[in-house]
Amino acid sequence: MTLQDARTPENGANGDEKPQIGWHKGYVSGSRPDLRVPVRRVHLTNGKDVTLYDTSGPYTDPNIETDVRRGLAPLRENWIIGRGDTEEYSGRPLRPEDDGLKHTSPRGGLKNLDAVFPGRPRQPRRGREGAAVTQLAYAQRGEITTEMEYVALREKVTPEFVRDEIAAGRAVLPANVNHPEIEPMIIGKNFLVKVNANIGNSAVTSSIEEEVEKMTWATRWGADTVMDLSTGRNIHTTREWVLRNSPVPIGTVPLYQALEKVDGKAEELTWEIYKDTVIEQAEQGVDYMTVHAGVLLRYVPLTARRKTGIVSRGGSIMAAWCLAHHQESFLYTHFEELCEILASYDVTYSLGDGLRPGSIADANDEAQFAELRTLGELNTIAKRHGVQTMIEGPGHVPMHKIKENIDLQQEICEEAPFYTLGPLTTDIAPAYDHITSGIGAAMIAWWGTAMLCYVTPKEHLGLPDRDDVKTGVITYKIAAHAADLAKGHPGAQEWDDALSDARFEFRWEDQFNLALDPDTARAFHDATLPAEPAKTAHFCSMCGPKFCSMKISQSITERFGGDEGSTPEEIEAGMLEKSREFAESGNRVYLPLAN
Amino acid sequence: MTLQDARTPENGANGDEKPQIGWHKGYVSGSRPDLRVPVRRVHLTNGKDVTLYDTSGPYTDPNIETDVRRGLAPLRENWIIGRGDTEEYSGRPLRPEDDGLKHTSPRGGLKNLDAVFPGRPRQPRRGREGAAVTQLAYAQRGEITTEMEYVALREKVTPEFVRDEIAAGRAVLPANVNHPEIEPMIIGKNFLVKVNANIGNSAVTSSIEEEVEKMTWATRWGADTVMDLSTGRNIHTTREWVLRNSPVPIGTVPLYQALEKVDGKAEELTWEIYKDTVIEQAEQGVDYMTVHAGVLLRYVPLTARRKTGIVSRGGSIMAAWCLAHHQESFLYTHFEELCEILASYDVTYSLGDGLRPGSIADANDEAQFAELRTLGELNTIAKRHGVQTMIEGPGHVPMHKIKENIDLQQEICEEAPFYTLGPLTTDIAPAYDHITSGIGAAMIAWWGTAMLCYVTPKEHLGLPDRDDVKTGVITYKIAAHAADLAKGHPGAQEWDDALSDARFEFRWEDQFNLALDPDTARAFHDATLPAEPAKTAHFCSMCGPKFCSMKISQSITERFGGDEGSTPEEIEAGMLEKSREFAESGNRVYLPLAN
């Protein structure tokens, strides 16, 4: 592999869209010219380089002009076409209700969607008759796709390892054939822990532009996937804008849109409306879909005596449908048909936990685990159809009940990737649920959860704004990386080591540039010691120049560090000698300040 | 016990010093009229009450006039005098260097401290010759002090249980006889997990008034103890102001002040200067002191090949002293004498972890655990002298290495309370170390740590301001409460249950008032749905009125909840019946909105 560098962005020269951070966009090349894996390269002041995983997409490459009205370049298009197993087709006709408009809307029905999203028109694509076009199908046939090679470079493992993990169902590589813009990524417990960020307007607030901006903002700070949970008006158009501009896989909950089409009346939902919505979204390029097929009629009464009932939107909609019809969920009864649809676009299942606990009191109860057992059955069925599958998890769970969740899920679902929301470890801190849940997220990821769905400070209170999205993503990147460390993930500690070296050697700029959030780290430092020389000062504002433990400690290292190969006896001998020198030098442990 | 209520503060009527929160100060009375334990009472809109632990002191009682220039009333004075085993004495004369001033200072030596802190003059007090006046000594003699009864009411346990835990050395009740202003509290693994907040000026920044305000601010948000880590000028005077105004135990690191007295030259420190400083601080009323007596000469070379050496200020000062003299630490060689001094004022030891790891790479290394074994020996000696003792712990530790820390500490230190800084679970997130460490803090507290030392967002970068102190305290209250839940602490879940009930029933005001931070929760809600009716609306901004899962779920509860005693068959029968009713009612799962 070779490492290429994009032109170094000038700090501060790129306006609001290019944050003032000192890292550079680079690429690792693979076996073909169009296989270039983006990395974040931090050039340290000591001449060393640190290469980090990068989710920010072409937006942080100063050599690439991006325009949200045209969308991103279709990176994977030639790979998909080259496989020769998919075909373009005319696609499902668009209808006013796709955008939440009534047939009788005074606005005159459907606007021209090409005008609404002015990007490159493209026919939808699907697997040819009889072709199995999912990454799972390729993996099971022993084929290493370009996508698999891409993620292997990204994760610093062999392509064969990637193929094995996907083939076993232990990992998914969400990549709808209609979303060629994505930079492939993988979700599985033997890879880096991933983070999902939710965006989405609602009936009450938000706009299309805001949602697209939240997506690019979230990925800039490290979101590996984004779920568009929009409801209400313009749902189709919002999704189109998000997909065409997203370098990461996009997930949705098709049930939300289906419910819009029946004016919010759960009992009027039908399999046909739902199926039509799934095809609509698959043609647009949605990479994974949450399907609450495990909410069975007989589980609904199990929630009746809970403290907080059913808190999943999808779960409560399906519960209401089952009650209204006193029939089994159509998602469950039509599951195999749904598998066939998802397989033809390579849409990945995210089997939803519609009965997840919404409070500490409800954690790990009968309703929750009954649904999980059903998700296990559905996982087996999905895999048989070649559909990649992950399993969603809770929710609100106190720390001592977390491990049971991941252990049970791994057992019941044959190690399919677990994808959890937190869990929140207490209910008492609305406005701080990124933290209550970051605690649980770190723990459950350590124990094997593959992807964490972020929680923002606005959880339970309102819709996240730009700052909330950033706070949520950073908090979850911390949880994910803490888990990578605890799992002993190869290479994970290099990042910590580089930052700690910089800290010990007072290389402030390196410390900022290696930080998850360089901007805030720099701003916090400058708040106490704003002057430029302070960034090279060999002390910091916590202790001041006289008390600095790092300085004292450095002089110990200099005096006793010896060579790597020293024996304890040599160190002890050196210690005596150095102690004499120490006295001779005037017993000064504080060296003169550099500035 | 009886419950009394302070006058209800009017929301918003008390200005900046009384935050606009809807709880009321109450008191639980004990066996004597002056034993009144403060509680936070939340009156819910459904007529129920929730009583929570309260650390905010007299400042939140509208019936009490507080004045930082006079200090708080000496709540415990009569208890201490009543025991008849202490005496007033003239005390150590104050000297210019106590405040970091030189003998030759152009400012003309020491100002009159009574003028600097204009509060009530008081002679220092100590145990009479031959009297053992520590809470540990009383407990071992089988005496239940008024302080023990106070914490029993606070923790909702029996006084006998409190006495047992203190007598066994499993808990400490820090309460210097010269700090009568405190509201007694207890630190031990069988009580609620506690949180310490650090304040302190440094040579570079901050003022006396700011430090006092940080203390009252930290306790308002839930800090159980406060450490004054001031260095530089006015160190004695700052501490006097903090102590006289603090309702919580105050901790210090006397070594910092001792070093000031020798102009920052570690090698010029002597046992005499240190001892004099300890007496100075004990006479002022410091409740617990960090003593880095476990940093032995032979351990210093163990740190030489670390990534970040010695990061503890106290640890590095003592290491430098040991090296300069090539002698064993005077804190270690004079430890028994130090015990006698601390015992005579009932100052509690916080045996410092001077060799704690400062990076993920250094966690659980030989240096760290060698020191811990020495702390174990010192703990046994301290207990023999009747001195209450807790043990400080790390630091930077990845999740998979946390449990070993608490397990070893509990074994080596005979279950003495563990008091840890975090630990931080990754090094990569400067500006978010309240979160990297909040994760580790929750886990180590679950496994038995008794008190958590908070970390603010400014850790590694600068000194915390008012907002940072609040964020640090709230984050650590989350960690502590999550641990209380995971430990199954009796009553802990009642708080979560009350809040989740309020959430499920859309009692927004109750949800805010029960929150750890009512102000921010309310502000976040209002940012999306500001109007007053929205606070009684039966939906929220995340889903809007149509999609609300809580509404759907409530209707399920109404339809299937049945009586507590229903059998599954009865529920099933009820379900069929209710399903019919559901259809007859027009299949509406959304009830009309109340507003």
Side-chain angles (χ1 to χ4, degrees), chain A residues 259 305 310 432 517 547 553, chain B residues 259 310 432 517 547 553 563:
Chain A
L259 190 64
R305 297 219 189 109
I310 300 175
Y432 297 84
D517 177 359
F547 261 149
S553 198
Chain B
L259 190 65
I310 300 175
Y432 298 84
D517 177 0
F547 261 148
S553 198
D563 300 320

Side-chain angles (χ1 to χ4, degrees), chain B residues 330-508:
Chain B
F330 60 78
L331 297 176
Y332 184 78
T333 56
H334 289 82
F335 190 74
E336 304 224 22
E337 193 178 346
L338 191 56
C339 289
E340 289 306 306
I341 297 166
L342 266 55
S344 65
Y345 302 94
D346 199 4
V347 174
T348 297
Y349 267 123
S350 184
L351 293 178
D353 57 335
L355 304 182
R356 68 170 175 267
S359 57
I360 291 297
D362 294 341
N364 296 20
D365 72 352
E366 201 185 338
Q368 185 194 337
F369 287 152
E371 181 189 32
L372 180 58
R373 281 187 290 273
T374 298
L375 297 186
E377 293 165 26
L378 297 174
N379 173 59
T380 306
I381 294 168
K383 274 203 295 190
R384 201 167 60 222
H385 286 269
V387 182
Q388 304 190 79
T389 304
M390 53 186 174
I391 311 290
E392 296 186 10
H396 291 237
V397 185
M399 283 191 288
H400 64 301
K401 293 188 177 176
I402 290 176
K403 194 157 188 303
E404 185 181 5
N405 277 275
I406 172 74
D407 288 349
L408 255 182
Q409 184 273 339
Q410 287 289 291
E411 182 195 325
I412 290 172
C413 303
E414 299 172 322
E415 300 182 274
F418 205 25
Y419 166 34
T420 63
L421 179 77
L424 287 71
T425 54
T426 169
D427 303 339
I428 64 166
Y432 298 84
D433 279 326
H434 58 306
I435 297 175
T436 66
S437 68
I439 293 167
M443 293 170 71
I444 204 164
W446 168 25
W447 291 323
T449 289
M451 184 157 78
L452 302 169
C453 181
Y454 87 167
V455 172
T456 79
K458 289 275 170 62
E459 182 78 12
H460 298 121
L461 297 169
L463 286 174
D465 62 18
R466 187 180 160 96
D467 286 345
D468 298 318
V469 166
K470 178 176 170 183
T471 301
V473 171
I474 297 276
T475 302
Y476 271 68
K477 292 300 277 189
I478 289 169
H481 185 73
D484 289 335
L485 285 177
K487 289 162 74 175
H489 192 87
Q493 197 182 310
E494 283 169 27
W495 190 355
D496 300 74
D497 288 352
L499 198 141
S500 287
D501 281 339
R503 182 171 283 154
F504 191 61
E505 292 166 13
F506 294 98
R507 288 184 273 113
W508 287 103

